[in-house]
Amino acid sequence: MLIEIEKKSQTYQFEANAGEKLLYAGLRAGVPLPFECATGTCGSCKARVDQGDVDEGWPEAPGKERFKAAKREILMCQCSAQSDCSLSVPTKIAVFRDDDINPDHHVGLITQYDMLTSDVLRFEVELPADLSFHAGQFFVLQVPGVNGFRAYSMVNYSTGTNTLEFIIKQNPSGALSKWMFDSDRSNEQIDLFGPLGRATFHPDESHDLFMIAGGSGIAGLMSILEHGRQVNHFKHHNVALYFGVRTPADFFFAERLRAVKAQFPDRVSINIAFSNEPPTSEQLSGNDGLNYLQGMVHEHALPAVLEGGGNTMHYLAGPAPMVDALIRPLILESKVPADKIRYDKFN
Ligand SMILES: Cc1cc2nc3c(=O)[nH]c(=O)nc-3n(C[C@H](O)[C@H](O)[C@H](O)COP(=O)(O)OP(=O)(O)OC[C@H]3O[C@@H](n4cnc5c(N)ncnc54)[C@H](O)[C@@H]3O)c2cc1C
Ligand code: FES
């Protein structure tokens, strides 16, 4: 089916397969459509159907809470075309970087599956062929018997790999979470679409990095640390990471974080904040190079932000309330320019 999108004086055209989400079809064809979550929650991919018929997909999608059905407003990440369609998109169509990788559909095999803490598991997905992605990007995953795609950020980084590493925080009422935690899913086939996302790291931008993660928000930031480590970015640029979890027992990736600190001791600062318990006496002894703190992660991170942002890119990832609570003070109090903040809200 042919999809035509009008944006100001520009017209974009692309083909969508039967049942394929309009956002995914457009991005696959290289059309720089607006989106954030790609999974129905944020509302960024709003469009109006001017001509043609669409299947709305997920009727209760939170992203279209304030949409007007009479005006035929839709979420492109949820709708698929039932005929040739003509759409208009009210928000800005973002311009991609030249080195962006067009996302595509893939079928992958879960090859590794292990628990990192009592409610965080790590798994790897093997793809049939190598692909590239930017550190900080995510894929959307669809598993057997669960409707719709869910977003997960890659933990690993490599230029050209057929392995994607993910972590997932248990959500007892979540459908995909239940599927993943109910039994060992090694050798299960899943559908994926990606890579997606613009909270990305690019060494050629030559930034210092200031990163704040809550819980599983650490995933994409681990990928950024890994890319920075591989290209020796932290030889000449500072990185401060603030990672918040509830208790010492909820802390994971300690070894990987210590390894980055050990490789670049002068430029890397890694701070772990426990919201519900104090650090252990061993952690407080300071022997492993990481700083352990008690309190909410933002209470420790915000005072450390440089007034005006400097030449620093700020990355925020984790629960949506945490990210929302950080963006305002970063812009209004620390005067960080909005284009020096990249974030992923884990809805
Ligand atoms: C960019 C990004 C990166 C993320 N990275 C991570 C990560 O690395 N690790 C992690 O643990 N979490 C991550 N999250 C959060 C994760 O995506 C959610 O926790 C996950 O969607 C929960 O899915 P669930 O099935 O367990 O919960 P559910 O409550 O069952 O579903 C939640 C989501 O699934 C989708 N959905 C539900 N029902 C339907 C339907 N009928 N049709 C279509 N879609 C539906 C919606 O997106 C909904 O918000 C990320 C989120 C975003 C936006
Ligand atoms: S991108 Fe479609 S609702 Fe978020």
Side-chain angles (χ1 to χ4, degrees), residues 39-57:
T39 55
T41 57
C42 72
S44 314
C45 63
K46 176 175 166 174
R48 193 183 66 217
V49 183
D50 295 326
Q51 265 175 28
D53 295 311
V54 295
D55 173 352
E56 285 224 35

Side-chain angles (χ1 to χ4, degrees), residues 36-37 39-41 57-58 60 62 78 138 146-154 166-171 173-178 216-217 219-220 344-347:
E36 274 183 26
C37 70
T39 55
T41 57
W58 185 24
E60 300 87 21
Q78 296 304 311
F138 65 96
V146 177
N147 277 341
F149 286 85
R150 273 74 166 153
Y152 293 93
S153 309
M154 280 74 80
F166 300 101
I167 54 166
I168 171 166
K169 169 96 165 58
Q170 187 166 25
N171 162 11
S173 60
L176 187 144
S177 174
K178 251 173 126 28
S216 54
D344 277 328
K345 293 183 192 178
F346 285 20
N347 294 298

Side-chain angles (χ1 to χ4, degrees), residues 172-195:
S173 60
L176 187 144
S177 174
K178 251 173 126 28
W179 184 88
M180 202 54 112
F181 279 83
D182 270 0
S183 57
D184 186 335
R185 298 299 180 178
S186 304
N187 296 318
E188 290 270 4
Q189 249 189 19
I190 61 171
D191 294 323
L192 304 95
F193 182 79

